[in-house]
Structure formats: structure tokens, C-alpha cells
Amino acid sequence: MSGPEATRRGSVRWDATEAEHPARRAARASMAAVARGAKADWLALFAADALVQDPVGPSPLDPSGQGHRGTAAIGAFWDSVIAGAASLHFHVHDSFAAGSEVANTGRIRTHLPDGATMDADGVFLYRVDDSGLLISMRAFWEFDRAMATLTPNP
């Protein structure tokens, strides 16, 4: 763990190919940083003008649907969305690398502070620049479909 914010206990389960690829490496590093709650480590993976769309398009998490561009906006996304989870668990079923990108299929299970859980199944795309920094992260999942999985604390 790194930094004072790294207190979350999440996980990354990787059932996909282990074949080396720069975008796959960045995607795995991104998920690992989020799982352990390491905001500074996560932000360090992004190029200065990177774009995060999670989910892609308008949603309650991004009403404009334009995403979050630049490390300041991406950091604000962390603060308003990611930081509110008690833990995040990633399960990657498959991973397809091509060019400077990787598309991962899988599920993100969010545990909320009150004990409720929610699952977001989707396709998660990561693109890197020539130095291996993320220039975009685009998550294709349906907000209403994920909310339908919300299971309150028993």
C-alpha cells in the first residue's frame, strides 16, 4: 500500500490471459490501486490529459456524459465515486489486447459502507500512450442494470 488513503481491502481476480501487453499491465495496475484504495498510485497511472468515462455516457455519476478529463477531474471522480465504497472487487473473465488498448470483460462488485453490495458487469477498455501511461479508461456498463443488483445489508 502507498499513502495515507490506502486503507481499503478489495481484490482483483484475474481469470484471463496472462500474456504481456502494456495496456493490460496498466489495466491490472489500475484495478489493484483501486482495490487497495491507493488514490495517489491510481492517479500516477494516467497521462496529464487522460479521459475516464465510467460508465460511458450520461449517468448519475456523470450527468453530462462527457467523462472526466485530466488528472484533477479524474481525482475528483475518485473523491466523489470511488472513495465512497467500502471495498471494490474486480473479477476479470477475459482480456483482449490490440494495438495500444485492452478490452476486459468482467464484474466489479462494490461493497458500500452500510454493507449493501452492487454488481456492474461490463466491458472495460484501457488505452495507453507510448510510455505506458493511461490516456483513456472507458467502462461500458449499465447504471440501471447495476442498481437492479443492489442487495441491502441483511
Side-chain angles (χ1 to χ4, degrees), residues 67-144:
H68 314 277
R69 183 168 297 279
T71 52
I74 295 169
F77 170 76
W78 175 288
D79 294 340
S80 67
V81 176
I82 297 172
S87 65
L88 287 130
H89 301 271
F90 297 85
H91 182 184
V92 176
H93 304 294
D94 215 340
S95 180
F96 304 91
S100 61
E101 298 183 73
V102 67
N104 298 324
T105 62
R107 170 176 285 172
I108 301 171
R109 175 164 284 166
T110 303
H111 290 259
L112 301 171
D114 67 0
T117 62
M118 182 182 72
D119 293 333
D121 292 311
V123 179
F124 307 94
L125 284 77
Y126 299 80
R127 178 182 287 177
V128 295
D129 63 15
D130 291 340
S131 65
L133 291 175
L134 287 165
I135 56 175
S136 73
M137 186 197 81
R138 302 179 74 218
F140 290 82
W141 58 276
E142 297 174 33
F143 185 84
D144 291 341

